[in-house]
């Protein structure tokens, strides 16, 4: 990760009124860039460390203005828009010229103070709900210095904080966030190193090590397990995950996240291939079975019911 | 069945009726009777015609009684047979159906003095009008006005008596007794009061009116409380029975509804739902609940709670104008939010901003506390006011008119100043006309009696109608409409022309005139300029400055030389659904809105700029609402955002924070875009889906496709 420039506050997106990323009403800031490449990633726009542009099919009028104006000739418009990423200069002309706002820019740079100011706008909602700001990814540990500075600033201003991380990074970076972070949310996809490398491109060892280290320091950690029946939904994997938590950490709760394919359109918009098309969304029964298995193994598991109705 | 079960069953029947009424069904009896009356009394002075005409209709109409009626008050409705249909269509063509006969004209759109009606009873009004007539002192027109009032009140009293007889015949002696009691004296019980209100409503809606003559009953939880408490104390009625009567009241407010949606119909599709065959279309009926009061302790008014519990989300009527205060019981607020997330027709209003606005009018404190809204979200003063004119309109059009005359601006402030002066000319002229009509010597009687005049304070004594100087508070609408588009125009001009200097004002203005055809670069830049509704400081500051500048003009022009407020302007940002048609006829605007696209709706931002619901609420709450008397603010949320107990918590926090920060109004539609689209494809799966239009609701399946698309196009604010 040495090529990643530290303290660059490149932001994919700021999402206000967020309520799935920690307690209460929150503002989630998605950093740009992640060292993992999970095949099912729900936020492909956060993966690259570079600024990117996404093409929004439903807004595009097919006028071709962006294609003809692109100085690098990186765009071509057939049935869909494709971006030749090798040619693209990231000049942003397509974004600024589009009369239909059909291009969305990901990767705006922020100074810590400017970003903190933006993130604090919903303070009134945070205070009433025990909410706050969640720094998500991308991978916050890949921007550890910036993340720490941002969280410190928010804490100074009395804003609740949370970090959503893969825990893939340096242990000292993760631990350095602890004094300024109220809640951590960390995914464990699998504890099997071979499978983990296959699915995410990185080893699982550092992740498990970091979770254990963070837990040992008394951090409030919510473990989340994205459940994909064909990949990690088997009993062996869930039992191993539960065993790891029991034996190496103080964590006894885990949330199961239901895999879905709602992100497929984002891959299209970024001219990226979607690797998870063959995966299946778990049924309610599979969710419950996985939760039961974890519970039988000493982990209090929960998940959001599918058909939430008022 | 006990009374609660009967009431619940009645509610289910009413819910079904408003979704399944045959589209060809109409009030054929009423329509023909009215036409006959028109012929019978043609040539008489109008007030006399009105009294006689109403008496003609009300003494001949059938009086349906359902065995399960807790309150009486139905009217005949049917699918016409062939001969009836022919005469009906002839009347429709001749406009004798739609344009209500002049002898009985009522446009509704008013909050009647129902508190006074319940206090005095119909007999009290008859006596009052007779006494005033005997006192004399009026010319022929004024005398006819009073004679017309006596005839009108008497016709209503006789209608009540006829209903008593019909109930007796139908084997409902208790209902008959209730009607007899209220024919000769003010209501003495809660049930009698609701019965009186429903029969008044029937006279307005079913017999006396047309043209969406919608009403607001006013603060029913407030003025009915003494009767409710007396009944409970005397053991005459239980809380459950009161709830049952209110349920039946809600049903009776819904029976007249034609299916479909009248405002957003644009003539492009066959009208499949038949609302246009129905004299009052799909008109909303309002009640006010909650809010500060001089009659009761608003913090613990048990009727507010009872009525809130009996809000039925699937019924479109009554529409609940729900006044909130910072002292409200949090449990009550939570209950209301729970109803709202089920798409009940609740329009939340904030007393903390409304009362300062109404008090600034210099009206009596009692009347300020009795502020109200009549359909659709237009400001009113319960029982004391009537609209006599107005000024202003869509601010984007005002800006385009300004730019047609002048283009040499050097700042946004200068544009706002010039706009204010242009606005001042109009306001000044309207105020001068108002003063001539209402602030000089008592005007001569115009000899016209409108049904709206009969339950408004002061008209009997003055022997004049509302528009003839008879109302205590004749009011103008001060309209500041489609604010978002105007703000975004100024924000774009400020950014592109004055700050970034990427073009001149003339270049941007010219680009608008040819719909940006030759300047797509300016279109793109305009679309990216800061937008109102995104919690952007630059745009929001323009919004505040613009609104304050226009409100300053109104304030300055509505006082006389001595500095006394002598013109009553009820200031509002209401657009109804006119923003669609107005946009359709407009050139492109400086914010990047293309030619023909809608301008902005009510307090909503420009479509498509939605950031998040919190950003939206923060932005909107910055506007100077303590100077505005009404505004509608549509918020559409995804179901997921408000699902479960946590979702309800979130909704409570969203709304309470918005109101604490100074928001004026909010009305929710909880429906995902995906759900709305699915409802277009599979209506059978979405029979109950109800959406907010502007100050009322529509059953989604009964809307035309274009109107459905318009609702879908409104941003999902999450």
């Amino acid at each position: 990760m040495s090529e990643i420039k530290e303290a660059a506050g490149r932001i994919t997106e700021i999402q206000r009124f967020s309520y799935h990323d920690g307690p209460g009403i929150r503002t989630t800031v998605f950093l740009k860039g992640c060292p993992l490449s999970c095949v099912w990633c729900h936020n492909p726009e956060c993966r690259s460390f570079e600024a990117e542009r996404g093409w929004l099919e439903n807004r595009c009028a097919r006028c071709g203005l962006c294609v003809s104006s692109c100085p690098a000739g990186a765009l071509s418009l057939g049935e869909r828009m494709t971006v030749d990423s090798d040619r693209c200069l990231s000049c942003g002309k397509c974004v600024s010229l589009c009369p239909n706002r059909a291009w969305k820019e990901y990767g705006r740079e922020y100074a810590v103070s400017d970003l903190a100011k933006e993130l604090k706008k919903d303070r009134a909602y945070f205070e009433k709900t025990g909410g706050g700001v969640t720094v998500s990814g991308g991978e916050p540990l890949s921007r550890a210095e910036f993340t720490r500075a941002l969280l410190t600033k928010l804490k100074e201003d009395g804003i609740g904080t949370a970090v959503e991380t893969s825990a893939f990074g340096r242990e000292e970076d993760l631990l350095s966030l602890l004094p300024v972070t109220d809640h951590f949310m960390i995914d464990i996809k699998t504890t099997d190193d071979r499978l983990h490398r296959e699915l995410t491109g990185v080893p699982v060892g550092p992740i498990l090590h970091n979770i254990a280290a963070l837990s040992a320091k008394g951090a409030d950690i919510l473990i989340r397990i994205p459940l994909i029946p064909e990949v990690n939904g088997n009993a062996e994997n869930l039992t191993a995950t539960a065993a790891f938590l029991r034996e190496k950490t103080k964590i006894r709760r885990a949330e199961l996240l239901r895999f879905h394919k709602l992100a497929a359109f984002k891959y299209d918009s970024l001219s990226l291939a979607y690797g998870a098309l063959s995966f299946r969304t778990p049924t309610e029964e599979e969710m419950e079975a996985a939760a039961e298995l974890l519970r039988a193994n000493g982990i209090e598991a929960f998940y959001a019911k599918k058909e939430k109705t008022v | 069945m006990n009374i609660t079960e009967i009431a619940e069953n009645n509610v289910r029947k009413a819910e079904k009726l408003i979704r399944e009424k045959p589209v060809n069904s109409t009030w054929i009896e009423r329509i023909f009777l009215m036409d006959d009356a028109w012929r019978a009394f043609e040539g008489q002075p109008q007030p006399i015609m009105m009294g006689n005409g109403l008496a003609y209709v009300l003494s001949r109409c059938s009086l349906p009684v359902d065995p399960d009626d807790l309150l009486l008050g139905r009217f005949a409705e049917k699918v016409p047979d062939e001969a009836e249909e022919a005469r009906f269509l002839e009347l429709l063509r001749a406009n004798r159906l739609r344009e209500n006969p002049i002898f009985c004209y009522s446009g509704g759109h008013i909050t009647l003095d129902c508190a006074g009606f319940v206090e005095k009873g119909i007999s009290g009004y008859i006596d009052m009008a007779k006494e005033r007539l005997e006192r004399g002192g009026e010319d022929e027109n004024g005398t006819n006005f009073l004679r017309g009032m006596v005839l009108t009140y008497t016709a209503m009293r006789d209608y009540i008596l006829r209903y008593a007889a019909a109930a007796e015949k139908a084997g409902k002696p208790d209902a008959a007794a209730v009607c007899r009691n209220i024919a000769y004296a003010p209501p003495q019980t809660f049930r009698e009061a609701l019965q009186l209100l429903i029969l008044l409503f029937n006279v307005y809606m079913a017999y006396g009116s047309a043209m969406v003559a919608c009403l607001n009953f006013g603060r029913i939880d407030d003025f009915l409380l003494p009767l409710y408490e007396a009944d409970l104390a005397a053991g005459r009625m239980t809380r459950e029975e009161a709830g049952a009567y209110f349920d039946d009241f809600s049903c009776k407010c819904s029976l007249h509804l034609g299916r479909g949606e009248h405002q957003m119909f644009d003539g492009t599709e066959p009208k499949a739902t038949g609302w246009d065959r129905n004299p009052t279309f799909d008109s909303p009926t309002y009640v006010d609940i909650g809010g500060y009061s001089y009659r009761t302790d608003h913090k613990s008014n048990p009727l507010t709670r009872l009525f809130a519990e009996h809000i039925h989300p699937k019924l479109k009527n009554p529409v609940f104008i729900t006044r909130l205060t910072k002292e409200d019981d949090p449990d009550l607020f939570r209950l209301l939010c729970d109803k709202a997330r089920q798409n009940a027709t609740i329009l939340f209003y904030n007393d903390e901003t409304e009362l300062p606005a109404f008090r600034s009018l210099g009206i009596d404190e009692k009347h300020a506390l009795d502020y109200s809204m009549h359909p659709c979200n237009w400001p009113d003063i319960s029982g004391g006011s009537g609209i006599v004119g107005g000024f202003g309109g869509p601010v984007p059009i005002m800006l385009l008119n300004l730019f047609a005359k002048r283009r040499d601006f050097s700042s946004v402030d200068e544009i706002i100043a010039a706009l204010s002066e242009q606005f001042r000319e109009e306001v000044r002229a309207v105020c001068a006309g108002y003063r001539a009509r209402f602030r000089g010597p008592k005007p001569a009687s115009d000899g016209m009696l409108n049904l709206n005049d009969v339950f408004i304070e002061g008209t009997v004594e003055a022997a004049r109608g509302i528009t003839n100087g008879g109302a205590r508070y004749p009011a103008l609408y001060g309209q500041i409409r489609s604010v978002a588009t105007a703000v975004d125009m100024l924000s774009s001009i400020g950014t592109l022309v004055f700050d970034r200097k990427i073009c001149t004002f003339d270049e941007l203005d010219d680009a608008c005139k040819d719909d940006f055809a030759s300047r797509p670069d300016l279109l793109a830049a305009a679309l990216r300029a800061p937008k109102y509704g995104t919690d952007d400081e630059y745009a929001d500051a323009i919004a505040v400055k613009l609104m304050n500048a226009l409100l300053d003009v109104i304030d300055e022009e509505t006082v006389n030389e001595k500095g006394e407020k002598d013109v009553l302007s009820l200031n509002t940002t209401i657009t109804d659904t006119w923003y669609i048609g107005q946009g359709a006829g407009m050139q492109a605007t400086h914010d990047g809105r293309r030619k023909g696209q809608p301008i902005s709706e009510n307090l909503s931002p420009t479509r498509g700029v939605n950031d998040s619901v919190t950003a939206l609420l923060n932005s909107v709450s910055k506007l100077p609402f303590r100077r505005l008397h009404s505004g509608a603010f549509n918020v559409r949320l995804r179901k997921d955002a408000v699902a479960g107990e946590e979702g309800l918590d979130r909704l409570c926090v969203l709304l309470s924070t918005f109101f604490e920060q100074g928001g004026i109004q909010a009305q929710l539609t909880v429906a995902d875009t995906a759900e709305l689209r699915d409802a277009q494809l599979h209506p059978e799966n979405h029979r109950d889906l109800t959406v907010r239009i502007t100050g009322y609701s529509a059953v989604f399946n009964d809307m035309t496709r274009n109107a459905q698309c318009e609702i879908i196009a409104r941003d999902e604010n999450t």
Side-chain angles (χ1 to χ4, degrees), chain A residues 141 144-145 148 152 170-181 184 214:
Chain A
L141 292 184
E145 199 179 305
R148 188 165 51 249
T152 303
R170 297 193 308 171
E171 177 187 344
E172 56 267 40
D173 283 342
L174 181 60
L175 295 184
S176 77
L177 300 182
L178 182 54
V180 287
T181 305
F184 286 89
L214 190 63

Side-chain angles (χ1 to χ4, degrees), chain B residues 111-132:
Chain B
T111 304
L112 296 177
D113 183 21
C114 288
F117 188 49
V118 166
E119 184 194 325
K120 298 182 187 77
I122 189 68
S123 52
Y125 276 91
I126 294 172
D127 294 346
M128 194 164 65
K130 280 183 176 166
E131 188 276 326
R132 180 66 188 84

